[in-house]
Amino acid sequence: MQRMKNRSIECGFSGAEAANTLIRDGPTIWVDIGFDPTWQPDQVAKRPDLGALRIRALIDTGADASYIDYGLAARLNLPIVNRLPARVLSSAGPYDAEVYLAQIFVRQLQFIQYGEFAGVHLSRYGEPYEVQIGRAFLSKFTLFYNGLSGQVTLRMP
Amino acid sequence: MANANGEQRPLDAEIAAYQKQATELEASHFGKWVIFKETTLIATHETFEGAAKDAVQRFGRGPFLIRQVGAPPIVMPAIAAYHAAHEKP
């Protein structure tokens, strides 16, 4: 993991409708994501060569894991490194979700790390983001959520 | 483990090897991250990041399995669960 301290990014909204927009859309950030097998986390000066730049990611504090759209994972040719049963609350019952390995880069925070992302369909159904970031990723940050103003801040401790 | 059509899927060998050793691993390495390559346990790590770094250094793109010992099923977030229920990979 590489990161710079004392950086933060706004991932909420501003303006008169900010609070309602935050309710509707949730907090999001822009990330670069991909897999560069030549990159190592201790290479401070080197950035991984990632296949997807400025991908919209939803910050989802209700999820323990992180997720990536199957189409994006396929386009990036991400390696599959796990397959786990996925608990789905529907009549379709459980199924096995493939888990991909990727490097994720938050440019505004200069933060890079390996991450595991369970595959789901998002863009096929018109979701405006292709990545969902869960609590495992957020364990590296503090998150300030102001539902009154619509502002959300993600900060390096 | 083959899928419903009898086809082999990526990581079948690694997952079968993990499951064969699961009881022993859960007794001795619960919560740790393990790397399997084919039927061999390669290493254990404290974190996913450590396991990923090690696995990529050893095997590049893989295939390899990285799994947290004793990991529960993935709980899909609400929107993903809805979509997953209607569209399996």
Side-chain angles (χ1 to χ4, degrees):
Chain A
M1 173 182 56
Q2 297 179 17
R3 62 184 184 181
M4 297 177 69
K5 290 185 177 178
N6 302 318
R7 286 183 179 239
S8 64
I9 51 174
E10 296 301 318
C11 29
F13 301 91
S14 59
E17 287 301 308
N20 287 332
T21 307
L22 182 60
I23 292 171
R24 187 188 65 221
D25 293 350
T28 58
I29 58 174
W30 298 98
V31 301
D32 298 348
I33 192 165
F35 179 75
D36 177 354
T38 68
W39 180 79
Q40 290 296 326
D42 50 4
Q43 294 175 307
V44 176
K46 183 179 183 295
R47 298 275 175 257
D49 182 15
L50 302 179
L53 307 181
R54 280 188 61 79
I55 298 295
R56 194 176 184 191
L58 175 72
I59 295 175
D60 185 357
T61 60
D64 56 351
S66 294
Y67 303 86
I68 188 168
D69 180 72
Y70 271 122
L72 178 60
R75 288 201 305 277
L76 295 172
N77 194 27
L78 296 181
I80 298 169
V81 297
N82 201 356
R83 197 167 61 235
L84 286 170
R87 215 166 64 201
V88 179
L89 303 176
S90 82
S91 58
Y95 75 106
D96 285 347
E98 289 169 334
V99 180
Y100 298 90
L101 176 63
Q103 293 131 1
I104 185 167
F105 178 41
V106 185
R107 189 172 297 274
Q108 290 163 289
L109 298 176
Q110 290 296 298
F111 174 89
I112 309 173
Q113 76 165 30
Y114 277 112
E116 57 170 353
F117 296 84
V120 294
H121 285 293
L122 294 170
S123 58
R124 179 176 293 182
Y125 294 98
E127 295 301 333
Y129 48 84
E130 293 179 281
V131 173
Q132 279 186 251
I133 293 172
R135 295 191 299 271
F137 179 87
L138 293 174
S139 66
K140 309 290 194 305
F141 301 93
T142 56
L143 182 71
F144 297 94
Y145 186 104
N146 187 335
L148 296 174
S149 69
Q151 292 179 310
V152 181
T153 305
L154 187 67
R155 179 171 295 157
M156 296 284 207
Chain B
M1 179 192 343
N3 66 14
N5 298 324
E7 300 163 339
Q8 294 295 308
R9 294 187 293 177
L11 303 180
D12 278 354
E14 287 83 358
I15 290 171
Y18 172 88
Q19 288 172 339
K20 199 171 180 180
Q21 300 181 46
T23 301
E24 183 183 333
L25 285 170
E26 287 176 13
S28 59
H29 292 86
F30 193 88
K32 302 287 192 282
W33 294 85
V34 294
I35 302 168
F36 275 80
K37 175 70 173 170
E38 297 175 343
T39 59
T40 303
L41 171 61
I42 302 297
T44 64
H45 290 271
E46 294 291 325
T47 65
F48 174 81
E49 281 187 270
K53 177 183 175 183
D54 185 13
V56 172
Q57 278 184 329
R58 291 174 189 262
F59 306 119
R61 296 190 57 85
F64 49 78
L65 173 74
I66 301 176
R67 179 173 286 191
Q68 190 173 28
V69 176
I74 296 172
V75 179
M76 305 301 274
I79 191 69
Y82 175 82
H83 295 328
H86 293 82
E87 187 75 39
K88 295 181 182 180

